[in-house]
Structures are given as C-alpha cells and as structure tokens.
Amino acid sequence: MFRRLKEILFILALATAQHGMAQTKAPLVLAAASLQESLTKAADMWAAQGHAKPVLSFAASSALARQIQSGAPADMFISADEEWMDAVQQQGKIKAGTRRSFLSNQLVLIASGTQKGQMAIRPGFPLARALGGGRLAMADPDAVPAGKYGKAALIKLGVWNSVADRTARGESVRAALAMVERGIAPYGIVYATDARASAKVRVIDLFPPNSHPPITYPIALLKDAPSAEAEGFRQFLLSARGKAIFRSYGFTPR
C-alpha cells in the first residue's frame, strides 16, 4: 500500500509539474517588422522578471495577417495598421476585448549615407529628378502598411505618378531600408523608427502627418491563444514601463 501511495504521489507531482510548464509556455508574438528592436527589448525585460521569454516573429503586417487567416498558431498579433487587424478580426481570429491601438509612428524619406543633397517634402517636390537613374525603395504599396502610407503621401503631394514605375518594392519596411543601406536605391520611404535604427542612412525630411492616414499599431490576443502568459505580456506592453521602452526607440505611445 505504501508503494502504491508513492506511485500516486509521483503521478500527482508529475501532473502538477506538467501543468506548471503548460502555464508558463512562452507566448508566440507575430509583430510588424518595424518593431524589431523595441519589442525585442520589451521581451527581454519581461523575461528578466521571471517570465517565459516571448517568441517573436517579425514580418510585414500583411504577411502575418495572412498567416493568421490561414490558421497559423500564435498568441498575439501586432500590426502596423488598422486594416490588417480589421481583416483578422473580421474572420473571428481576435480574442474579444483585447484589441488596442497603442503606438503611433512617422513617415520619412531617407537616403544612403553617401547620397548628397537635401530635399524638402512639399507638394510637387522633385523626387523623380532626385532619383536620377535610380529607384525609390519602399515596402509594397499594394499590401504592406509602410508602403500604403508612403503611396498615400505621394499621391496627396502630387508626386506619385512621376515615380510609380520607378519604385523598388520590398516585402517589408525593413527590406526597403536594407535597399537604401546597401546602395541599391538612392532614396527610400520608411518609418522614422526604422531610420533611427540604422547608422547607414540619413533622414532627408519628414512627410507631413496630414499627407497620409494616421500611422497606428493595434495589438490584440488571438482567439484560443495557447499561452497563459500572453495576456500578461500584452498588459506589460501597454503599461507605463512598456510605453517607456517604445518611446525610447522613437515610437509615440497612445
């Protein structure tokens, strides 16, 4: 009987340990590419508090939204625009009550560090002439948020038609940044935070905020998120401490 009791106690202890491991499973976060440095820092700080370190997957919001729509398992989605979060929510993939727009950003025109000259962004500014024989690097304007914001701004400023067939389209805003860093394109359109993260490019000018839709980052838990840590991490990102991290990387908390 004593041996049987030990077996029962062992089974209960094992079950408790397994349950604890399940409860501390690291959340999988699908996040817009522009959040790489800031969200990685936030995840490190969260883990330093004794939590399981979140697993971060960065890509264009459009690509991540399509993964979610196709059934990819994840705990959290952070988009660089409202439209892709809307698309995911409309398919019933978002956990009710967890969506929140918590960050904003700015759009800038950048040049490689070796590119000379200045240019003020205003209606009809000579972007096409400045490109010379080169191309304008930007995230895909038909799908990726940064590219959509950039296209909207150039249309509003009356410049899009002169450069539409001279764009080098990247799969994400970081791909557009990389093209300028490597000298593949003389100019590019990225977020201010992307330009700040690179020592190889310089900001030419800031696009007027009224030239494009507001740049907002919504965050939400996905329905049936498997990690019990996901909500805690979401709350941490929305907290004063989390906002301070994003602010230090150039974002504006909302």
Side-chain angles (χ1 to χ4, degrees):
M1 180 178 294
F2 180 70
R3 181 178 179 181
R4 178 58 178 165
L5 179 60
K6 287 180 65 177
E7 290 176 351
I8 292 173
L9 290 174
F10 175 77
I11 292 171
L12 288 173
L14 180 61
T16 300
Q18 290 175 335
H19 178 71
M21 291 175 64
Q23 291 297 306
T24 58
K25 179 182 178 183
L28 172 58
V29 182
L30 305 183
S34 51
L35 294 166
Q36 287 183 33
E37 293 80 13
S38 56
L39 191 59
T40 298
K41 179 65 173 180
D44 288 341
M45 290 187 68
W46 175 250
Q49 297 178 15
H51 302 280
K53 185 175 179 178
V55 178
L56 309 177
S57 178
F58 298 103
S61 301
S62 51
L64 297 173
R66 288 168 181 149
Q67 290 176 24
I68 295 168
Q69 290 172 324
S70 297
D75 296 282
M76 189 186 302
F77 178 38
I78 308 177
S79 172
D81 75 354
E82 303 292 340
E83 290 185 10
W84 283 112
M85 186 65 80
D86 289 343
V88 171
Q89 186 167 11
Q90 287 166 7
Q91 283 201 343
K93 301 289 187 178
I94 298 300
K95 186 173 182 179
T98 65
R99 179 173 176 172
R100 171 95 172 267
S101 293
F102 76 123
L103 298 173
S104 62
N105 210 333
Q106 296 175 302
L107 200 66
V108 296
L109 179 68
I110 60 169
S112 62
T114 59
Q115 188 71 23
K116 304 299 182 181
Q118 298 294 328
M119 184 166 34
I121 295 178
R122 59 181 184 272
F125 73 105
L127 180 57
R129 186 173 66 198
L131 288 173
R135 291 185 173 273
L136 176 67
M138 60 191 304
D140 183 357
D142 295 326
V144 182
K148 290 160 61 180
Y149 293 129
K151 179 179 178 179
L154 294 177
I155 290 175
K156 183 70 177 289
L157 295 166
V159 177
W160 175 251
N161 288 340
S162 66
V163 299
D165 60 352
R166 300 177 61 187
T167 58
R169 304 186 177 199
E171 62 182 12
S172 71
V173 68
R174 286 305 173 94
L177 176 67
M179 284 190 274
V180 180
E181 287 178 324
R182 297 168 186 169
I184 297 172
Y187 293 95
I189 298 176
V190 299
Y191 298 123
T193 53
D194 297 303
R196 181 172 174 168
S198 174
K200 297 179 180 180
V201 303
R202 63 187 181 90
V203 173
I204 297 297
D205 202 2
L206 176 71
F207 282 91
N210 63 0
S211 68
H212 55 78
I215 300 172
T216 59
Y217 289 69
I219 181 174
L221 293 187
L222 298 179
K223 191 175 182 180
D224 303 322
S227 174
E229 288 265 272
E231 173 59 11
F233 185 51
R234 186 185 75 92
Q235 291 292 344
F236 174 72
L237 297 179
L238 296 174
S239 70
R241 192 174 184 188
K243 289 179 179 179
I245 295 170
F246 289 108
R247 187 179 293 108
S248 71
Y249 284 89
F251 293 91
T252 301
R254 294 163 62 87

